[in-house]
């Protein structure tokens, strides 16, 4: 079978959690890059390449498909779909193109694509598909998504979601390219998405991963250099920069100390999970300062951990060099430990109830904000509700733009912020942003966040001392990105071993992480 005209040299590339720091571009940056690429090519060349790329991927993901439906919108995304239909027809596939608007209302290069498809005899019309498709192409909106779909567009999205296999062109229609939020009632739920020229952040966070399926990228051989961006995906490069080489002439003191402060009455398990993860990450010594030390029986199962009641009352010279993870299962009691920790600890991870205590106390907020100016590094690890409390807004507002929420927290409080959830977002005060592509719903169980906080603390304790504020931020950002990536990768490996598995127990996750890190460092 032949697909006709020649396209770009590489073709669609699968985007994997193992990729090295792929850049992400919001809608404005993507449009600017597209304009640059269009200016350096003859008219319609990039659209021809896009149509061929879509057809190639369609045949790759559905090699036995014999009937393909293309839902085509009025703009360039629809034009890409029409040329994909033309290429598929040349390859011997039965196609039908459903137009959501009259041909006279097509815009951009779509009228040219429409004319090419018509001249080649591609069947199309303003009617639903007359057959049951094996594969459907979503060519409705792409980057043109600006508001909630309605009318024929909405009807087409509903029809696409009833198809057995869907490939979205550039973006699932109805999904915001920057935020991953659904605009309106419904968005396309694609099995695969082929992003063109650039990767968009909305594909990887909030509802994006549920709607995009497997993401692919084709840069269409454009040749133009994409604009600089502060936003990228976490990946193996973060992990590789984090775990130190263990020299023969080293000892436990070479790999730092971690203290976990938390575990109020009825919640000691959270602190113990964090401590186990810190130990598994390779920290030299791990202290557990339980707020309810009367119930420290869990330490019997992990004798390497050292119980240190009220450790947080130690002298500043003891607090300062220790990497501290504070808040896991802390309850209201944890607030008493925070003034000393915020004032003296050089590397501090605040999780769970420590974040709630800061959100409720302006004095603690002032101490937190002052840390950046004193060269003390802090990582916040909120889930959306904790982030909403810190930002004095609603969870809906946080989830509506997760990158913006994480960035606002980082800027306001002078901290690295790790906003948990689907497509965890990491933001630094200097504007650098990351989205973690690893992980899945197996992490949706109690205690996995405590494991993440402890794992992060254990990795961070092993990093060389920071020479200045810039190096402190860089070290914290890289280590936080690596921790999130490995944490998600452990869940990905568990799901690969057992598709359809029930959620991971946090204790099992803590035990699995060291082996995952050893394989993928």
């Amino acid at each position: 079978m032949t697909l006709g005209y020649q396209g770009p040299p590489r073709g669609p590339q699968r985007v994997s959690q193992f990729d090295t720091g792929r850049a992400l571009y919001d809608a404005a940056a993507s449009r600017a890059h597209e304009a640059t690429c269009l200016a350096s090519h003859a008219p319609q060349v990039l659209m021809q390449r896009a149509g061929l790329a879509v057809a190639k991927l369609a045949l790759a993901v559905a090699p036995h498909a014999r009937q393909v439906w293309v839902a085509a919108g009025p703009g360039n995304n629809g034009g890409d779909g029409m040329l994909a239909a033309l290429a598929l027809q040349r390859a011997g596939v039965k196609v039908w193109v459903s137009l959501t608007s009259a041909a006279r209302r097509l815009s951009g290069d779509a009228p040219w694509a429409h004319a090419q498809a018509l001249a080649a005899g591609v069947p199309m019309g303003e009617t639903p598909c007359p057959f049951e498709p094996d594969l459907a192409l979503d060519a409705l909106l792409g980057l043109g998504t600006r508001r909630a779909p309605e009318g024929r567009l909405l009807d087409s999205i509903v029809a696409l979601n009833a198809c057995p296999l869907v490939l979205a062109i550039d973006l699932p229609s109805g999904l915001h390219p920057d935020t991953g939020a659904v605009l309106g009632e419904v968005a396309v739920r694609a099995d695969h998405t082929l992003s063109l020229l650039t990767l968009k952040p909305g594909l990887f966070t909030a509802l994006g991963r549920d709607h995009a399926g497997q993401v692919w990228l084709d840069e269409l051989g454009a040749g133009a250099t994409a604009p600089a961006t502060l936003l990228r995906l976490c990946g193996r490069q973060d992990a590789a920069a984090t775990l130190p080489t263990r020299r023969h002439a080293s000892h436990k003191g070479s790999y730092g100390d971690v203290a976990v402060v938390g575990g109020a009455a009825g919640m000691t398990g959270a602190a113990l999970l964090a401590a186990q993860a810190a130990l598994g990450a390779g920290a030299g010594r791990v202290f557990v300062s339980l707020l309810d030390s009367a119930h420290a029986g869990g330490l019997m199962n992990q004798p390497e951990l050292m119980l240190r009641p009220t450790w947080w009352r130690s002298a500043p010279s003891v607090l300062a060099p220790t990497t501290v993870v504070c808040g896991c299962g802390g309850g209201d009691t944890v607030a008493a430990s925070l003034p000393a920790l915020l004032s003296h600890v050089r590397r501090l991870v605040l999780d769970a109830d420590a974040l709630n205590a800061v959100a409720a106390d302006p004095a603690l907020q002032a101490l937190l904000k002052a840390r950046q100016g004193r060269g003390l590094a802090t990582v916040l690890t909120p889930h959306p509700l904790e982030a909403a409390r810190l930002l004095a807004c609603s969870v809906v507002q946080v989830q509506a733009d997760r990158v913006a929420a994480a960035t606002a927290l980082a800027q306001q409080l002078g901290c690295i912020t790790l906003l948990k959830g689907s497509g965890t977002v990491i933001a630094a005060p200097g504007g650098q942003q990351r989205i973690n592509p690893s992980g899945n719903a197996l992490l949706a169980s109690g205690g996995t966040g405590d494991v993440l906080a402890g794992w992060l603390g254990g990795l961070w304790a092993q990093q060389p001392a920071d020479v200045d504020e810039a190096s402190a931020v860089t070290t914290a950002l890289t280590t936080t990105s690596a921790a999130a990536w490995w944490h998600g990768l452990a869940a990905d490996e568990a799901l690969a071993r057992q598709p359809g598995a029930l959620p991971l127990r946090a204790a099992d996750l803590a035990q699995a992480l060291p082996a995952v890190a050893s394989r993928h460092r």
Side-chain angles (χ1 to χ4, degrees), residues 338-345 348 350 364 367-368 371 374 376:
L338 285 171
L341 300 178
L342 289 167
S343 298
H344 303 299
V345 173
L348 179 61
L350 296 181
L364 293 178
L367 285 174
L368 177 58
R371 286 177 57 81
R374 298 171 55 214
L376 305 178

Side-chain angles (χ1 to χ4, degrees), residues 112-123:
W112 176 85
H114 179 260
Q116 297 299 304
L118 272 184
V122 173

Side-chain angles (χ1 to χ4, degrees), residues 167-421:
L167 167 60
I169 302 176
D170 210 25
L171 280 161
S173 294
L175 187 77
H176 195 290
D178 299 346
T179 68
V182 170
L183 299 171
E185 302 173 19
V186 66
V188 166
R189 283 188 176 271
D191 300 280
H192 299 269
T193 296
L194 177 57
S195 196
L196 300 173
L197 293 177
T198 62
L199 285 177
K200 290 76 180 176
L203 296 170
F204 298 96
T205 194
L207 296 175
R209 291 182 61 181
D210 283 325
H211 284 267
Q214 173 60 56
V215 177
W216 303 73
L217 172 66
D218 198 316
E219 296 174 339
L220 304 181
T225 301
T229 176
L230 294 173
L231 179 59
R232 66 169 175 82
L233 293 176
C234 302
R236 192 191 292 272
Q237 79 289 339
D238 299 300
T242 301
L243 276 183
T245 299
R246 297 216 156 204
R247 300 189 181 279
H248 193 277
S250 64
H251 51 82
K252 63 179 180 289
S254 306
Y255 302 105
D257 293 343
V258 173
V260 176
V261 179
M267 297 182 287
T268 55
L272 294 175
L273 284 167
Q276 290 166 12
L279 194 65
R285 297 186 298 178
V286 179
F287 310 125
V288 184
S289 186
L290 292 176
L291 301 172
D292 179 24
S293 57
H295 295 84
L299 289 172
M300 297 298 293
N301 298 321
Q302 194 81 48
E304 301 90 345
L305 301 176
M306 291 175 272
L307 182 63
R308 295 288 189 273
T310 65
W311 175 89
W312 49 271
R313 291 177 178 164
S314 301
S317 59
V318 174
L319 298 178
T322 306
T323 299
V324 176
V325 178
C326 179
C328 301
D332 295 335
T333 314
V334 76
S337 70
L338 285 171
L341 300 178
L342 289 167
S343 298
H344 303 299
V345 173
R346 291 184 195 137
R347 291 175 172 177
L348 179 61
V349 179
L350 296 181
D351 185 48
D353 290 315
L355 298 171
N356 294 330
V358 169
D361 189 337
L364 293 178
Q365 293 170 32
L367 285 174
L368 177 58
K369 292 176 184 178
R371 286 177 57 81
Q372 182 183 21
R374 298 171 55 214
L376 305 178
T378 316
V379 177
L380 312 180
T381 59
H383 58 52
L385 178 56
E386 291 157 353
R389 289 170 180 151
L390 288 165
L391 290 169
C393 67
S394 69
V395 173
V396 171
Q397 288 172 300
V398 169
Q399 293 294 81
D401 194 337
R402 289 170 49 78
V403 174
T407 302
L409 272 177
Q411 300 289 2
Q412 290 177 23
L413 299 177
C415 306
I416 302 294
T417 298
L418 182 154
L419 177 58
K420 292 181 281 197

